[in-house]
Amino acid sequence: MPAADDQRELELTIQTFDKYAQQYCDKFESYKPYIESYEKFAALFTPRHRQVLDAACGPGLFCRLLWQQIPRLDIKGIDLAPAMVNLARSNCPDAQFAVMDCRDLDQLDGRFDAIISAFCFPYLNQNEVTEFIRSAAEMLSVGGLLFISTMEGRYENSQFKRRSEDEGVLNYLYSESFISTTLIEQGFVVLDLFRQNYPLDNAEADTDLFVFARKTSGN
Ligand SMILES: C[S@@+](CC[C@H](N)C(=O)[O-])C[C@H]1O[C@@H](n2cnc3c(N)ncnc32)[C@H](O)[C@@H]1O
């Protein structure tokens, strides 16, 4: 994908998520493999983990489960699609949500004990992912947790999946080695890593990659 097209393609991606926010929510609120990944991550929380940021929170399904399991958490979610943020507010009324670009993470005030990036990297290029992980490292307390889920594949095979003139989604693919190496360079240790097939109607299944990390060094 030429870099010059990125901004237009991101705009179309957000427009598409905004238009289909309710369908997205209906489809994934009962999708077991993702719910299980949230539960697995929630099991890593200890009483010291209180402040949580969900970057590209979508309809707030991860926030809702976390809050149901650990109601003492202080949860903030951001997403660029207003319809997603509205759904997140109704799905998890006890959290705070804002329409915001997760590429501007460093503009958020405060410090977090856990940061979630669930299927956000498919919409960020390699430099943006590196920058996201660097900002996450800065904003997390030592011992803080990071959740990453993304679609695994060769970066060179990334493409914009156009559906029509005004609909389509970015689809950046990342290798496990790129994610793990970047995490380690930014002071994280990988706690858990697993993959799941994501079945597609008319094509070979995608591979979803899940990485849980802990910040071990820094301020
Ligand atoms: C596949 S959905 C994932 C939603 C949620 N994290 C989940 O796992 O259910 C991707 C979300 O990323 C949001 N998004 C994409 N690029 C973004 C960006 N640069 N900043 C904030 N949100 C973004 C979209 O609006 C969409 O809600």
Side-chain angles (χ1 to χ4, degrees), residues 10 13-18 21 24 28 34 38 54-62 78-82 84-85 99-104 116-124 128 147 149 170:
L10 179 62
T13 298
I14 299 302
Q15 215 170 291
T16 304
F17 274 116
D18 205 54
Y24 180 93
F28 288 107
Y34 293 171
Y38 307 162
D54 187 346
C57 61
L61 301 175
F62 203 148
I78 59 168
D79 198 284
L80 259 185
M84 288 289 194
V85 170
V99 175
M100 187 180 156
D101 195 325
C102 68
R103 295 172 301 173
D104 298 330
I116 294 162
S117 167
F119 294 104
C120 165
F121 289 179
Y123 317 103
L124 303 183
E128 291 165 342
F147 176 105
S149 56
L170 284 161

Side-chain angles (χ1 to χ4, degrees), residues 141-207:
S141 52
V142 174
L145 300 168
L146 179 62
F147 176 105
I148 293 171
S149 56
T150 196
M151 291 157 72
E152 190 175 26
R154 293 166 64 87
Y155 188 69
E156 311 81 82
N157 294 339
S158 300
Q159 54 176 307
F160 180 73
K161 291 191 170 173
R162 186 175 284 282
R163 290 194 201 155
S164 67
E165 195 49 44
D166 57 357
E167 278 180 28
V169 286
L170 284 161
N171 189 28
Y172 284 107
L173 303 173
Y174 289 99
S175 67
E176 179 271 311
S177 63
F178 170 76
I179 301 287
S180 295
T181 305
T182 310
L183 285 170
I184 291 160
E185 281 170 0
Q186 296 299 333
F188 288 94
V189 62
V190 173
L191 299 175
D192 198 1
L193 188 153
F194 54 96
R195 296 173 171 85
Q196 275 160 4
N197 277 345
Y198 181 80
L200 297 172
D201 286 342
N202 296 316
E204 208 179 308
D206 281 337
T207 304

